[in-house]
Amino acid sequence: MSSDTSLSSRQNGIVSFARAVGRVEVEALAARFEVTPQTIRRDLKDLCDRRILTRTHGGAVVSSSVENISYAARRQIAAASKRAIGEAAAELIPDDSSLFINIGTTTEEVARALMQRQRLLIITNNINVALTLYPNPSLSVIIAGGPVRHADGAVVGSATVDMIRQFKVDCAVIGASAIDEDGSLLDFDPLEVHVSRVIIENARKVVLVCDQTKVGRTAPVRIGHLSQISVFVTDRMRSAKLRALCAEREVRLIEARPDAEEPDQA
């Protein structure tokens, strides 16, 4: 991808690095480009003002309202936070229960936290989740049918939806690519969103797992609304509007901060 001539060479380097890894952090960028954190913060402000990047706690992510970053890059974003979220969400799921788990890097962390559990029935459209859980003989794992997406191992399409509709489960664990301040849950792929909607419809309880970088992001396809969620597990809720909305709609909010949480950045 060609450089933007309106940006400095360092800013172009920051953008290229962000596109490769998904999320960039102030301190790491300062070390990489051998400048002060204050200089990097000014660069990030400029790039965010141009809507090339979107500011997050301690750094920034690639900004796009129509296309998500690569799945491999998403795995690197807020990895410690996603592990903490996964462990907290798994504690909500008792043995001897049934659940859906949809596609997402955070839902994969929930699956990892469930690896040693007993007598669960898991229906998933996420091949990575199935590969994580099937070695435990006490767990029954069903993959919803349909074509497999090469980019991330998601199974999407009409056959997937038809199979999910055959079940009514105790709990659904879902992710989302973006959460608007009005409580809208958003994603990028209409096929993936259709699966998520049917998952929500066929679960008695819905657990949303999203780290704080998803709040305030934009994506073009609406999954649903926060009011449809039973429990929202995140690492930290910085949005006063969403915190108030959770209280108003009786959505249980769990903040599962990682053990080594990075300090606030100005």
Side-chain angles (χ1 to χ4, degrees):
M1 187 173 291
S2 61
S3 297
D4 185 334
T5 56
S6 69
L7 302 178
S8 70
S9 60
R10 184 178 59 249
Q11 288 174 333
N12 272 306
I14 291 170
V15 173
S16 296
F17 188 53
R19 285 175 175 149
V21 302
R23 182 177 189 269
V24 290
E25 298 178 355
V26 170
E27 297 297 333
L29 288 174
R32 182 182 182 88
F33 292 98
E34 299 181 339
V35 295
T36 66
Q38 289 76 16
T39 297
I40 293 297
R41 289 191 187 100
R42 287 194 294 270
D43 285 334
L44 292 182
K45 183 179 185 305
D46 188 24
L47 292 168
C48 291
D49 287 344
R50 295 168 183 247
R51 298 190 177 183
I52 298 170
L53 299 181
T54 298
R55 201 76 163 91
T56 65
H57 174 55
V61 295
V62 175
S63 181
S64 174
S65 63
V66 296
E67 183 179 3
N68 209 350
I69 60 177
S70 75
Y71 204 70
R74 277 182 272 160
R75 279 199 171 108
Q76 304 305 314
I77 299 173
S81 293
K82 289 175 181 177
R83 282 192 295 273
I85 291 167
E87 291 167 2
E91 291 178 2
L92 303 172
I93 300 167
D95 290 343
D96 299 289
S97 62
S98 57
L99 65 150
F100 293 129
I101 302 179
N102 80 343
I103 190 68
T105 56
T106 310
T107 57
E108 287 180 21
E109 291 298 338
V110 180
R112 289 188 182 92
L114 293 171
M115 286 174 62
Q116 305 305 319
R117 301 293 288 279
Q118 301 294 312
R119 299 175 302 281
L120 296 178
L121 170 63
I122 301 107
I123 303 99
T124 184
N125 69 320
N126 184 338
I127 280 184
N128 305 302
V129 165
L131 289 173
T132 296
L133 294 175
Y134 89 90
N136 181 345
S138 181
L139 305 180
S140 298
V141 181
I142 297 174
I143 298 179
V148 179
R149 194 163 59 191
H150 290 286
D152 54 10
V155 184
V156 293
S158 58
T160 312
V161 169
D162 289 343
M163 186 168 183
I164 287 171
R165 283 195 173 123
Q166 296 178 37
F167 297 90
K168 184 73 174 183
V169 300
D170 299 312
C171 181
V173 178
I174 68 165
S177 292
I179 306 175
D180 195 271
E181 288 278 328
D182 69 0
S184 296
L185 309 179
L186 307 167
D187 225 307
F188 292 90
D189 184 349
L191 292 176
E192 183 178 332
V193 165
H194 193 189
V195 174
S196 296
R197 287 174 181 166
V198 174
I199 284 175
I200 291 171
E201 291 169 5
N202 290 280
R204 297 179 181 90
K205 178 172 74 172
V206 181
V207 177
L208 174 67
V209 290
C210 287
D211 69 85
Q212 62 182 299
T213 67
K214 306 296 177 61
V215 175
R217 285 189 73 193
T218 57
V221 191
R222 192 175 190 273
I223 300 170
H225 191 267
L226 193 59
S227 59
Q228 297 171 267
I229 303 302
S230 310
V231 186
F232 180 11
V233 186
T234 186
D235 50 342
R236 189 167 183 175
M237 177 51 69
R238 296 180 179 274
S239 168
K241 288 183 179 179
L242 286 180
R243 186 181 291 276
L245 185 59
C246 285
E248 177 188 337
R249 298 302 179 95
E250 298 184 343
V251 178
R252 181 183 176 191
L253 177 63
I254 297 175
E255 294 176 89
R257 302 187 188 184
D259 292 335
E261 185 178 54
E262 63 184 25
D264 286 348
Q265 301 288 344

